[in-house]
Amino acid sequence: MREKINQLGGDINSSNIRIRKCHELKGGGFDSDYGISICSNNMRSRSHMEDTLAHGLMNEKILLEMIHAYDHLRFQVQWRDNLRHAACSEIRASALSGECRWAVEFFGKNQWKFSQHLQDCVKRRAVLSVAGRPNCKDDVEAAKVVNEVWDSCFPDTRPFDEVYR
């Protein structure tokens, strides 16, 4: 993924992946000006942080944010002004990063559904992310925007050949 970002003229390295304290209640994020942040103060406990690091969940979080970085460079995403752009990138990142894998949801988040699991998880996470944006009125608007872009964004696996499962 890092190579794909480099091919688009970006650079992801230790200077722009930061573990820091965040003011918002979130696990991390991508900012086109600053890079990738992982929010250390939003880990529930030391064991939660250790589990995140040991089980590769930190890698999934960094990959998710790298997908946002890729989308920012490849598609010129207008994060602050265009909810459709943000929704599409959230859909792609959740689908491609592995955060919606069945085992992660089943064992870590008590989501017990088998059929349509990936689609439901990706849609749920995209709606939550879009609803948290300052220019989104509410979760109804977020769901509407996610549904508007779903058919074009969910099947888009670039730069990968397929969805990581």
Side-chain angles (χ1 to χ4, degrees):
M1 188 66 196
R2 193 171 165 205
E3 180 182 317
K4 297 293 184 183
I5 291 170
N6 288 342
Q7 289 172 359
L8 294 172
D11 185 27
I12 298 291
N13 59 56
S14 61
S15 72
N16 54 22
I17 298 177
R18 298 175 180 92
I19 297 178
R20 64 181 190 89
K21 289 187 177 183
C22 298
H23 300 293
E24 306 89 8
L25 183 60
K26 62 181 184 176
F30 169 74
D31 184 294
S32 59
D33 295 326
Y34 302 107
I36 295 171
S37 296
I38 304 297
C39 300
S40 62
N41 57 314
N42 292 329
M43 295 291 159
R44 295 184 302 270
S45 64
R46 179 180 175 167
S47 63
H48 180 221
M49 175 65 94
E50 290 169 352
D51 286 348
T52 298
L53 293 170
H55 293 111
L57 299 178
M58 187 65 72
N59 291 337
E60 288 169 2
K61 181 64 181 160
I62 291 172
L63 178 57
L64 182 139
E65 302 306 339
M66 288 177 82
I67 292 166
H68 288 321
Y70 174 86
D71 286 355
H72 176 75
L73 294 166
R74 175 73 173 88
F75 305 114
Q76 292 81 45
V77 174
Q78 302 298 310
W79 297 103
R80 291 172 183 87
D81 302 328
N82 191 321
L83 289 178
R84 292 170 60 90
H85 283 191
C88 189
S89 189
E90 294 295 348
I91 290 166
R92 287 175 31 76
S94 288
L96 297 173
S97 68
E99 78 170 354
C100 281
R101 286 180 309 159
W102 182 84
V104 171
E105 287 281 289
F106 184 82
F107 295 112
K109 299 188 176 127
N110 293 323
Q111 298 293 324
W112 306 98
K113 196 171 177 184
F114 288 99
S115 64
Q116 289 290 307
H117 159 76
L118 178 65
Q119 293 88 334
D120 290 347
C121 174
V122 169
K123 195 170 278 194
R124 182 180 73 249
R125 296 188 64 80
V127 168
L128 286 170
S129 290
V130 172
R133 296 192 171 277
N135 56 335
C136 183
K137 289 182 252 177
D138 55 27
D139 57 343
V140 173
E141 181 183 28
K144 180 179 179 259
V145 171
V146 167
N147 286 327
E148 286 173 358
V149 300
W150 180 263
D151 289 340
S152 62
C153 300
F154 182 73
D156 184 356
T157 62
R158 286 176 284 182
F160 305 111
D161 294 329
E162 60 188 0
V163 172
Y164 171 69
R165 295 186 191 248

